[in-house]
Amino acid sequence: MRNQRTGLRIFRDVVRDEHVPEESRTTLSPWAVTGDDWAAQFAIGLQLRDVWHTWHDDPDVDGVAKRLWLATTDATSWAAVDWDGQTEEQFTVWQHGPRRLWNEAEAAYQWWLHVGSPGPERFGMTVAPDGRHTPWLDAPARPVPVTD
């Protein structure tokens, strides 16, 4: 996932008043997906190539101390994961659009754990003559699952 956008541009670019997001819960910490583990971020970023993220501290929402925003680069889907500032056992998830971005981030993280939490040095990429990029783990015969 990319985080090059500054501030809350994701929020301003994709969230509209008429959006009615679906609410759910997760036990996966948003910091597991976007935190200090660069290997996890790299592997997740390969799988969710068109997804951006940013953090919102004190979002002026009752019961929310910090919020993680995810959005697609085409601005058609977004997700928000809320931390209440107290417990790190469960988080509230809001998702809108044709894709369920938090579900995709969870699946990407679980895949990374399942394959042994590899670092960036174990990944490669094949570029086809038509420009398609195919990331792989350890060998071209082991393509990384990609969503977009």
Side-chain angles (χ1 to χ4, degrees), residues 94-110:
W94 305 93
Q95 300 187 89
H96 178 78
R99 291 174 56 187
R100 294 298 172 252
L101 297 183
W102 184 250
N103 297 43
E104 291 180 17
E106 284 183 316
Y109 181 78
Q110 292 302 321

Side-chain angles (χ1 to χ4, degrees), residues 106-127:
E106 284 183 316
Y109 181 78
Q110 292 302 321
W111 174 85
W112 176 72
L113 289 177
H114 178 75
V115 296
S117 309
E121 71 282 354
R122 289 186 50 202
F123 290 91
M125 184 168 296
T126 301
V127 181

Side-chain angles (χ1 to χ4, degrees), residues 23 25 31 56-68 80-88 90-94:
E23 180 182 358
R25 302 272 185 266
W31 290 281
H56 189 176
D57 294 319
D58 300 318
D60 196 26
V61 176
D62 287 341
V64 179
K66 197 163 187 144
R67 176 174 279 169
L68 170 66
V81 183
D82 292 341
W83 176 54
D84 64 9
Q86 298 174 6
T87 180
E88 294 192 17
Q90 192 172 68
F91 305 87
T92 303
V93 178
W94 305 93

Side-chain angles (χ1 to χ4, degrees), residues 6-24:
T6 59
L8 293 175
R9 192 166 162 204
I10 287 175
F11 174 75
R12 292 190 311 266
D13 287 351
V14 302
V15 178
R16 303 285 175 253
D17 288 339
E18 64 271 12
H19 290 173
V20 180
E22 292 179 9
E23 180 182 358
S24 62

Side-chain angles (χ1 to χ4, degrees), residues 17-41:
D17 288 339
E18 64 271 12
H19 290 173
V20 180
E22 292 179 9
E23 180 182 358
S24 62
R25 302 272 185 266
T26 185
T27 57
L28 178 61
S29 165
W31 290 281
V33 175
T34 64
D36 292 333
D37 192 330
W38 291 102
Q41 283 192 47

